[in-house]
Amino acid sequence: MKDKGLHPKNKFNKGYNFDQLVKDNPALKEYVATNSYGNISIDFSNPKAVKELNKGLLFSYENISVWDFSDENLCPPIPGRLDYIHHLSDLLSSEENIKILDIGTGATCIYPLLGVAEYNWNFVATDIDLDSLDYAQDIIDDNNFDSNIELRQQFNEQQILKGVLEENDSFSATMCNPPFYKSAEEAQGANKRKTRNLGNNAVRNFSGNNNELWYVGGEKAFLHNYLYESSLYKTTSKWFTSLVSKKENVESLEKSSKKLGVKEFKVIPMHQGNKVTRIVCWKF
């Protein structure tokens, strides 16, 4: 199997064992077939197939057996999400009793699930959408992760850390997968382009409700707001981190971080196949 370019500790680095994945998630079986290259795979333009594949990947952990959420919500690609967790673990290698703040956890609660399954970390996870939090709480309850994961609702969509942090909070790191688009229209346009590129009517391979996909001003505005708010809570977390998809946003963030008194700023590159993204990390 060729290496997918993921973190060396990523259990999916060498590709997928579909026989095992079907055992872990029998519902995947109907979507597995030999493709035009003669390989066993699924049709990645079929959102149901993609969801069942990712369920299979998640159920390869002994302590995760339920992962149910609405088709309206984004289905996160597990290997890439797991990479963020492993890179955070490297960043926090000297820490004990790790506790993470996951900003915008979504209905799938994916980062806390992976963080508990891989490293037995503790999490506070936030979201603005009550329906998403309901799904996330059901997932936490069904997998008996209540003692590891606490959910909090953010009531103000302009705020990121404000309004969800409590006085005695102390985190090893914060993590976030920020909204990418500036508006619902921009997100819909990207969905149509992606659908065309996949070559069929993949309506919901790229599903996602509003707050998962867009933020007024897009990724750049979100990141700068996040950076500014982190300067108001300098001691609440040792590290503040975020995925950043647009390379040009890293430079403007680094410039602003200096003005706000950030002591250390680092960029961790992440690769998955041909896709390159990065985790930006800063501390005061």
Side-chain angles (χ1 to χ4, degrees):
M1 278 286 188
K2 87 177 174 38
D3 194 306
K4 285 178 170 282
L6 295 162
H7 190 285
K9 285 187 193 157
N10 194 312
K11 65 193 275 188
F12 308 116
N13 205 0
K14 296 284 188 272
Y16 305 141
N17 176 344
F18 279 97
D19 289 342
Q20 186 56 50
L21 289 174
V22 166
K23 277 183 194 156
D24 293 331
N25 178 24
L28 174 61
K29 188 175 184 185
E30 68 174 286
Y31 301 105
V32 175
T34 305
N35 65 16
S36 55
Y37 301 102
N39 302 321
I40 302 287
S41 189
I42 62 160
D43 174 3
F44 281 93
S45 66
N46 177 345
K48 285 197 165 73
V50 170
K51 191 170 182 178
E52 295 304 339
L53 169 66
N54 281 289
K55 277 188 175 185
L57 298 175
L58 205 50
F59 297 166
S60 67
Y61 289 99
E62 283 180 8
N63 51 355
I64 302 177
S65 59
V66 182
W67 195 48
D68 294 322
F69 54 94
S70 160
D71 290 339
E72 293 291 310
N73 296 100
L74 286 173
C75 179
I78 301 299
R81 297 294 187 263
L82 183 54
D83 251 29
Y84 194 166
I85 294 288
H86 284 311
H87 284 296
L88 262 195
S89 172
D90 293 345
L91 185 72
L92 303 171
S93 57
S94 59
E95 291 275 307
E96 289 177 5
N97 302 322
I98 288 173
K99 189 173 188 182
I100 305 289
L101 176 68
D102 177 29
I103 299 158
T105 199
T108 64
C109 198
I110 192 57
Y111 288 124
L113 286 185
L114 291 170
V116 175
E118 277 283 343
Y119 293 110
N120 201 31
W121 290 347
N122 290 312
F123 282 81
V124 169
T126 73
D127 207 276
I128 200 156
D129 185 75
L130 191 56
D131 288 340
S132 292
L133 288 170
D134 282 344
Y135 280 112
Q137 189 62 58
D138 286 344
I139 289 168
I140 292 164
D141 294 344
D142 290 341
N143 293 293
N144 297 314
F145 282 174
D146 305 73
S147 58
N148 292 86
I149 307 168
E150 176 197 340
L151 297 180
R152 294 181 193 168
Q153 188 174 9
Q154 169 63 268
F155 290 98
N156 183 337
E157 60 187 43
Q158 301 306 314
Q159 294 177 175
I160 296 165
L161 299 168
K162 277 185 200 171
V164 287
L165 290 178
E166 295 175 2
E167 203 176 329
N168 298 322
D169 279 338
S170 178
F171 297 102
S172 315
T174 64
M175 69 188 306
C176 181
N177 187 1
F180 188 76
Y181 300 104
K182 291 178 183 168
S183 66
E185 292 70 32
E186 191 183 23
Q188 282 159 357
N191 190 10
K192 285 183 183 132
R193 281 194 299 282
K194 180 162 182 175
T195 300
R196 280 201 302 276
N197 293 342
L198 284 166
N200 85 0
N201 58 349
V203 186
R204 275 256 145 74
N205 177 303
F206 181 70
S207 38
N209 61 21
N210 291 348
N211 57 293
E212 290 176 311
L213 293 175
W214 64 272
Y215 180 87
V216 176
E219 182 181 73
K220 184 175 182 180
F222 182 94
L223 289 167
H224 280 270
N225 192 8
Y226 180 16
L227 174 67
Y228 168 69
E229 286 194 18
S230 73
S231 74
L232 308 177
Y233 300 97
K234 291 176 183 172
T235 58
T236 303
S237 185
K238 289 189 176 154
W239 283 99
F240 296 89
T241 79
S242 181
L243 286 180
V244 179
S245 54
K246 291 181 179 170
K247 195 176 168 192
E248 61 269 23
N249 289 341
V250 177
E251 288 163 29
S252 68
L253 208 58
E254 187 165 16
K255 270 186 193 158
S256 298
S257 75
K258 286 176 182 152
K259 292 176 191 162
L260 289 167
V262 164
K263 292 280 187 285
E264 193 176 344
F265 187 96
K266 64 197 293 178
V267 181
I268 302 167
M270 291 207 312
H271 302 272
Q272 191 180 358
N274 301 323
K275 191 177 171 221
V276 179
T277 182
R278 55 211 58 77
I279 305 167
V280 171
C281 317
W282 65 94
K283 67 197 285 196
F284 288 95

